[in-house]
Amino acid sequence: MTKRFGPVVANDRVDFDLRAGEVHALLGENGAGKSTLMSVLYGLYSPTAGEIHVDGKPVRINSPSDAIALGIGMVHQHFMFIPVMTIAENIVLGSEPVRSGLPLGILDRGTARRRVRELSDRYGLAIDPDARIEDVSVGMQQRVEILRALYRNARILVLDEPTAVLTAQEITELMTVIRRLKEDGTAIIFISHKLGEVLEVADRVTVLRRGRSMGTVPCAGATEQSLARMVVGRDVIFRLDKQAATPGEPILEVSDLHVMDDRGLEAVRGATLSVRAGEIVALAGVDGNGQTELVEAITGIRHPAAGRITVDGTDITGRGVRAADSAGIAHIAQDRRRVGLVLPFTLAENLGLRGYRKPPLSRFGWLNPKAFTALAGRLLSAFDVRGGDADAPAAALSGGNQQKLCIAREIDSDPRLLVAHQPTRGLDVGAIEFVHGRLIEQRDAGKGVLLVSLESEEVRSLADRILVIYEGRIVAEFPPDATEEQLGIAMTGGALTAGTVTAA
Amino acid sequence: MKVLMKLSGIAVVIAALTVAVFGAGTGSAKMKATKASSFKLGVVTDIGGLNDHGFNHLAYLGLKEAEKQLHIQGEVIPTSSASDYVANLTTAAQHGDNLVVAVGFDFATPLVTVAQAFPNTKFAIIDYDASTILNPKTKKPFKNIEGLDFLSQQSGYLVGYLSGLISKAKHYTTISSVGGQKIPSVDSYIAGYQAGGKAADPKLKFLNAYSNDFADQAKCETIANNQIAQGSKIVFQVAGGCGLGALQAAKQKHAWGIGVDADQGYLGNYVLTSALKKVDVAVVQATRDLMHGKFYGGGNIINSVKTGGAGYGRLNSVAKPYAAQLQKVLGEIKSGKIKNIPTKVK
Amino acid sequence: MSSPGRLRRAGRGALIPLITVVLAFIAGGLVVLFTGHDPFRTYGAIFDGTGLNYLFPWVGGNTRTIAGFDLQQTLLNAAPLILTGLSVAFAFRVGLFNIGSQGQYTVGAVMAVWIGSIFPNMEPVLHIVLAIAAAAVMGAVWAAVAGWLRAVVGTHEVISTIMLNWIAIWVANYLFQAGGPLQSRSQAGNPVSNTIVSNAHLPVIWGNPLLQGLDAGIFISLAAAVAFWALMNRSTLGYEIRAVGHSPDAARAAGISIARSYVTTMAICGVFAGLAAAVDVLGWEFQLSTGDIATSQVGFLGIAVALLGRNTAIGTVFAALLFGALETGTSVRALNSNVFNPELASQLTLIIEGLVVLLVSTDLIAVRLLGLPAKLGWGRPEQTTEGQPPGAADEAAPDPTEALRPEPSL
């Protein structure tokens, strides 16, 4: 049996076909039209022209329920759950097994739980059907999303950037699941930015650029380099060319810092580090080891419980964001959509978030709209932000351009120290290249850069020094040529017990 | 509403019969009616609205009554917010109403300006002493405002006396009252109630509290429940719509209730009787007087037991045996034998 | 700056409320039809009742006099509604739900009537300014309490403002009740305040001063709307408030104190509500009774006004005018009783107002039901955003109303 889509014409005459038991990857820059294409497939938008065929028959998909009826399941990037319900309840929601007999319409919890467990055993999707969604990890939530689609008999599964939210361990597990689904005859559309993953799991790749299909190629024989060229339309430099660092005097000094997290637990437990002028210090670590709290303390967002933070000798411990700002700290937030930007604000308004209190943007508490427009005009072109003019809302930009907007604002504040927290998360290769270039540029201009990243690849290629954070402490320091294994051991706390750390 | 119709029973029937007989018999009655109908009566309610089971409703009944009896044209203008006071009075005057009845003390200040602007329109204000509404220019009472005052203490005295008699017979030690607000028109009822109760049973104890609300039944119910818990066997409500909650409490806790303003005996046998303020009678009377050229500008028409403007309502099965004694007291109030009933609650 | 784009966005913003109002009127018309009346004649009568027929030059004679009077009342009703609407809208913009504008109005009214009545011979302008300022400051203090509780203790402002509403009503009750400290000297026993002196009356600009002609308060309301706009869109404070309203996390990261924004915002809301009270008390009310205080709805109506006005200054002004006109047009006094029962008329106001609130809060649903999005470019703008849940990005002002729907009787 062969399932066949096609020709789908969405965006600009995109053809796409998917075979049973195949993993078909969809690659493209942010804003290339991948999500739109999938939304058309899932019935969220209707195509302006062209048609969709399932099993060779033309179909109309006007709503997600049509899609589900056709056996199309979607795992969104942002999960959609009812947090207070159990996993089993969330999975069966919408097609609940109902008890026979009176009173009518009572949910049959036993059957629900049993069927959920059957499915999870079959595909190796480990979950606890009775746990509440709000209590489980992101990785498990994703497995629940997949199960929900399978529960509704999905034969075509769309995974929209499934690895973006996962840890390395969880990614490995996901790959196993995908392979098992594939063996079972399920067709999978795999959307990702990460070329390595695509090559690892996919059978064929379709690349979209600016709404057009750049062609479909089999993965066998493709390389990261060849795929990147298709995505960006030119050669991409993977190895960064950078001069050796010439670090100067220390700018940031953090000593014995203790910070509590939102639940009042100690997330940073006596971290000590320093960043010198003209160097990139990378903070590597597995997510959730206190990076967020450390960054928030340095940038003044979070009040530390104890310890000391100085910038050029000025104590800014617990003095708040404005003190950190005036001491020269700029902050590229890890969550640009929630923290870095005010999405409904215009681009100009977003660019003004650092400087609005001072002339020329404002005088005596009154804003100067012309100055905002001028600022936007200057920065949007200098940082090549595309997708909207100064008056457009930031929400209308693609992820890469939103990040450019954040970086433009922060760098324009002419900081002493740039704190970049996962600055390339969710970005395509072209945007990543841009961000990395800017960070090195800042370093070369004599600024200090503190890079917090979960990607060891990024850490090793950018950093002049690598610090490893584990359970709220800086446990090791490496030169940039440290191996993946060395870092991996330190990041998982192995170094402490094994005592093999070689602090440089 | 039906019961209230019955209340003013005989008058209605007579009026209706008169109209029917004359209307059917001769053409001249119709002529008469048309001639009289050039007289226009306006009633402007307060924020309580038409369905308050009290005051405003009674005024509206009076208007309907006057339409029937006196063949006048009536209009009623309900008030829904404070900004309606002046506007509604103005509209009634602009419509050319010969008499505009304003229900309640809230109209005292608005009348000051409206009465100046419409010196030829006659205004009547219910439950307010018109001699205290002064024209700011002359510093004297308005010639075109009269007060329709009620000696509610007489009605209160009567129901209090009945309560005293029953308490004595049944060995009740305590009775109570729930006021809507500490204002003169409420307190005169309560003061009379206590005086009447004392007169019949000198040892009787009285509880009294205010809900500060004329609408929310729950508040009065709570207060009445407290009073019943403290031993009260009879609850007199003087709180309009809120007070219906007090009667509800009496019903549930097997105590007796006493209604106010309108006859609330229709609620059930647990209502001993009601202390009446016959606003409807007063409205008809004021209209009739003005049609005959009588208007007490700057003064008040006192509605009392004597004029039929105060009294008590239907007696329930427990109260019936005391009907004769009550009639006697009513006669004594009328004749002036019982006088100086207090109007202030200590 | 591309002003055509701006205009288009503004036009789009005005479209939903317009559709909403039309739908509410159609639904109200069905109700009218249901009661056995002619909806077209009824709406015609309501229109005449609002006094808007005054604007037709061919209307003359006595009809014109009455229309003029009705129009004065419409504007008189709209003036405080603009201000309470602004009071609610301002809070919405920072992400707070100010249910307390009724209470802020109440304490403002108490101050206005107190200041307005205690100085018998003060210079009129000075007296008016002093009374207005007192009402505004008192409203601000009252509202700031809720903002402070939210900022520091975390008490949800919906709870605290409802409580503060009650406290305000009971304080006023205490002050004006028989024997209360501010109870009228001339009306012994009745729970009313003193009447403010004529020096503190706002001048009447149209109509008979004796008959509640239109006073200058409407100018205060319109000036406040302009101030709202300027403050929100042209001041650093408004910029901060909008940032906090859209995204507290981003605002915090930009060094904006959320706590201070909450307190300041609420205080400004209180100023608007206090001004509403001053406009009423000094403009036409001159006196407060405890009954008036307990039955006043002007603060609660402000919630509906702000919702319909989409929390913008200009929207609020138009919404308040609509509500003011509805109040007047459906009042028994103004509505032709041959066309519609007086007993039903005031219910019709409530029905239409209720429908407006209901439809505004569900406006997107209403619009989607009509199948408009494709034609109007509704919902998401151009699809350039990757991986964003549908409908996440639009709307000029935040709409924190999804979670809570006020009960006007609170």
Side-chain angles (χ1 to χ4, degrees), chain A residues 249-275:
Chain A
E249 77 288 5
I251 294 175
L252 174 74
E253 281 178 291
V254 175
S255 58
D256 195 27
L257 194 70
H258 294 257
V259 189
M260 304 295 179
D261 67 10
D262 288 334
R263 293 164 301 173
L265 305 175
E266 196 171 24
V268 178
R269 312 171 185 196
T272 299
L273 63 97
S274 73
V275 179

Short mmCIF file of all heavy atoms in Angstrom, two decimals, chain A residues 249-275:
data_model
loop_
_atom_site.label_atom_id
_atom_site.label_comp_id
_atom_site.label_asym_id
_atom_site.label_seq_id
_atom_site.Cartn_x
_atom_site.Cartn_y
_atom_site.Cartn_z
N GLU A 249 41.66 42.92 31.19
CA GLU A 249 41.34 42.89 32.62
C GLU A 249 39.94 42.29 32.81
O GLU A 249 39.11 42.31 31.92
CB GLU A 249 41.41 44.31 33.20
CG GLU A 249 40.23 45.22 32.90
CD GLU A 249 40.17 45.71 31.45
OE1 GLU A 249 40.99 45.28 30.59
OE2 GLU A 249 39.27 46.52 31.17
N PRO A 250 39.68 41.71 33.98
CA PRO A 250 38.36 41.12 34.21
C PRO A 250 37.25 42.19 34.23
O PRO A 250 37.47 43.27 34.79
CB PRO A 250 38.48 40.44 35.58
CG PRO A 250 39.76 40.88 36.16
CD PRO A 250 40.59 41.54 35.11
N ILE A 251 36.15 41.88 33.60
CA ILE A 251 34.99 42.78 33.64
C ILE A 251 33.99 42.28 34.68
O ILE A 251 33.68 42.96 35.65
CB ILE A 251 34.32 42.87 32.26
CG1 ILE A 251 35.26 43.52 31.25
CG2 ILE A 251 33.02 43.66 32.36
CD1 ILE A 251 34.72 43.53 29.85
N LEU A 252 33.52 41.07 34.46
CA LEU A 252 32.53 40.49 35.38
C LEU A 252 33.24 39.59 36.38
O LEU A 252 34.04 38.75 36.00
CB LEU A 252 31.50 39.67 34.60
CG LEU A 252 30.50 38.90 35.47
CD1 LEU A 252 29.47 39.84 36.08
CD2 LEU A 252 29.82 37.80 34.67
N GLU A 253 32.91 39.79 37.63
CA GLU A 253 33.40 38.87 38.64
C GLU A 253 32.26 38.44 39.54
O GLU A 253 31.57 39.27 40.14
CB GLU A 253 34.52 39.51 39.45
CG GLU A 253 35.85 39.48 38.71
CD GLU A 253 36.96 40.14 39.47
OE1 GLU A 253 36.91 41.38 39.60
OE2 GLU A 253 37.86 39.42 39.92
N VAL A 254 32.07 37.13 39.59
CA VAL A 254 31.01 36.57 40.42
C VAL A 254 31.69 35.70 41.46
O VAL A 254 32.51 34.86 41.11
CB VAL A 254 30.05 35.70 39.56
CG1 VAL A 254 29.03 35.00 40.45
CG2 VAL A 254 29.37 36.53 38.50
N SER A 255 31.36 35.98 42.72
CA SER A 255 32.00 35.13 43.72
C SER A 255 30.99 34.56 44.71
O SER A 255 30.14 35.28 45.24
CB SER A 255 33.09 35.92 44.47
OG SER A 255 32.53 37.05 45.07
N ASP A 256 31.08 33.27 44.88
CA ASP A 256 30.28 32.51 45.84
C ASP A 256 28.81 32.90 45.80
O ASP A 256 28.20 33.22 46.81
CB ASP A 256 30.85 32.70 47.25
CG ASP A 256 30.29 31.64 48.20
OD1 ASP A 256 29.94 30.53 47.72
OD2 ASP A 256 30.19 31.93 49.41
N LEU A 257 28.26 32.84 44.60
CA LEU A 257 26.88 33.30 44.43
C LEU A 257 25.89 32.19 44.74
O LEU A 257 26.06 31.05 44.29
CB LEU A 257 26.69 33.77 42.98
CG LEU A 257 25.44 34.59 42.72
CD1 LEU A 257 25.57 35.96 43.37
CD2 LEU A 257 25.18 34.72 41.24
N HIS A 258 24.88 32.55 45.52
CA HIS A 258 23.78 31.62 45.81
C HIS A 258 22.48 32.25 45.35
O HIS A 258 22.20 33.41 45.67
CB HIS A 258 23.69 31.34 47.32
CG HIS A 258 24.89 30.61 47.84
ND1 HIS A 258 24.87 29.27 48.14
CD2 HIS A 258 26.16 31.05 48.11
CE1 HIS A 258 26.07 28.90 48.57
NE2 HIS A 258 26.87 29.97 48.57
N VAL A 259 21.70 31.49 44.57
CA VAL A 259 20.44 32.03 44.06
C VAL A 259 19.35 30.98 44.22
O VAL A 259 19.58 29.79 43.97
CB VAL A 259 20.56 32.40 42.55
CG1 VAL A 259 19.33 33.16 42.10
CG2 VAL A 259 21.81 33.21 42.30
N MET A 260 18.17 31.46 44.63
CA MET A 260 17.03 30.55 44.76
C MET A 260 16.21 30.55 43.47
O MET A 260 16.14 31.57 42.78
CB MET A 260 16.10 31.01 45.90
CG MET A 260 16.78 31.16 47.24
SD MET A 260 17.34 29.56 47.84
CE MET A 260 18.11 30.06 49.37
N ASP A 261 15.57 29.43 43.18
CA ASP A 261 14.68 29.41 42.03
C ASP A 261 13.26 29.82 42.47
O ASP A 261 13.05 30.19 43.62
CB ASP A 261 14.71 28.04 41.34
CG ASP A 261 14.13 26.94 42.19
OD1 ASP A 261 13.52 27.24 43.25
OD2 ASP A 261 14.29 25.76 41.83
N ASP A 262 12.32 29.72 41.55
CA ASP A 262 10.97 30.19 41.85
C ASP A 262 10.32 29.42 42.99
O ASP A 262 9.45 29.92 43.68
CB ASP A 262 10.09 30.07 40.60
CG ASP A 262 10.44 31.12 39.57
OD1 ASP A 262 10.97 32.17 39.99
OD2 ASP A 262 10.22 30.89 38.37
N ARG A 263 10.73 28.17 43.14
CA ARG A 263 10.12 27.38 44.21
C ARG A 263 10.81 27.57 45.54
O ARG A 263 10.47 26.93 46.52
CB ARG A 263 10.13 25.90 43.82
CG ARG A 263 9.23 25.58 42.65
CD ARG A 263 9.58 24.22 42.08
NE ARG A 263 10.98 24.18 41.63
CZ ARG A 263 11.59 23.07 41.22
NH1 ARG A 263 10.95 21.92 41.26
NH2 ARG A 263 12.83 23.11 40.79
N GLY A 264 11.83 28.42 45.56
CA GLY A 264 12.53 28.67 46.81
C GLY A 264 13.64 27.66 47.08
O GLY A 264 14.19 27.62 48.18
N LEU A 265 13.96 26.85 46.08
CA LEU A 265 15.07 25.91 46.25
C LEU A 265 16.34 26.55 45.74
O LEU A 265 16.32 27.38 44.82
CB LEU A 265 14.79 24.62 45.46
CG LEU A 265 13.47 23.94 45.80
CD1 LEU A 265 13.23 22.75 44.88
CD2 LEU A 265 13.48 23.48 47.25
N GLU A 266 17.46 26.16 46.30
CA GLU A 266 18.72 26.76 45.92
C GLU A 266 19.16 26.20 44.57
O GLU A 266 19.47 25.02 44.45
CB GLU A 266 19.78 26.48 46.99
CG GLU A 266 20.97 27.39 46.86
CD GLU A 266 21.93 27.24 48.04
OE1 GLU A 266 21.91 26.18 48.67
OE2 GLU A 266 22.67 28.18 48.30
N ALA A 267 19.17 27.06 43.56
CA ALA A 267 19.51 26.60 42.21
C ALA A 267 20.99 26.86 41.91
O ALA A 267 21.64 26.08 41.24
CB ALA A 267 18.64 27.29 41.18
N VAL A 268 21.48 28.00 42.38
CA VAL A 268 22.91 28.29 42.24
C VAL A 268 23.52 28.20 43.64
O VAL A 268 23.05 28.87 44.55
CB VAL A 268 23.14 29.70 41.64
CG1 VAL A 268 24.61 30.00 41.54
CG2 VAL A 268 22.47 29.80 40.28
N ARG A 269 24.52 27.33 43.76
CA ARG A 269 25.03 27.06 45.12
C ARG A 269 26.50 27.40 45.22
O ARG A 269 27.36 26.53 45.29
CB ARG A 269 24.85 25.58 45.43
CG ARG A 269 23.47 25.06 45.10
CD ARG A 269 23.47 23.57 45.23
NE ARG A 269 22.18 23.05 44.81
CZ ARG A 269 21.77 21.83 45.09
NH1 ARG A 269 22.54 21.02 45.78
NH2 ARG A 269 20.61 21.41 44.67
N GLY A 270 26.78 28.66 45.20
CA GLY A 270 28.16 29.07 45.40
C GLY A 270 28.97 29.08 44.12
O GLY A 270 30.07 28.53 44.05
N ALA A 271 28.42 29.72 43.09
CA ALA A 271 29.14 29.80 41.82
C ALA A 271 30.15 30.94 41.86
O ALA A 271 29.88 32.01 42.36
CB ALA A 271 28.16 30.02 40.68
N THR A 272 31.33 30.67 41.33
CA THR A 272 32.37 31.69 41.24
C THR A 272 32.92 31.67 39.81
O THR A 272 33.28 30.60 39.32
CB THR A 272 33.51 31.42 42.23
OG1 THR A 272 32.96 31.46 43.54
CG2 THR A 272 34.59 32.48 42.10
N LEU A 273 32.94 32.81 39.17
CA LEU A 273 33.48 32.85 37.81
C LEU A 273 33.85 34.29 37.47
O LEU A 273 33.43 35.23 38.16
CB LEU A 273 32.47 32.31 36.79
CG LEU A 273 31.14 33.05 36.63
CD1 LEU A 273 31.22 34.00 35.44
CD2 LEU A 273 30.01 32.06 36.42
N SER A 274 34.62 34.43 36.41
CA SER A 274 34.91 35.78 35.95
C SER A 274 34.98 35.78 34.43
O SER A 274 35.25 34.76 33.80
CB SER A 274 36.24 36.28 36.54
OG SER A 274 37.30 35.60 35.90
N VAL A 275 34.68 36.92 33.85
CA VAL A 275 34.78 37.09 32.40
C VAL A 275 35.66 38.31 32.15
O VAL A 275 35.42 39.38 32.73
CB VAL A 275 33.38 37.30 31.75
CG1 VAL A 275 33.53 37.51 30.26
CG2 VAL A 275 32.47 36.12 32.05
#
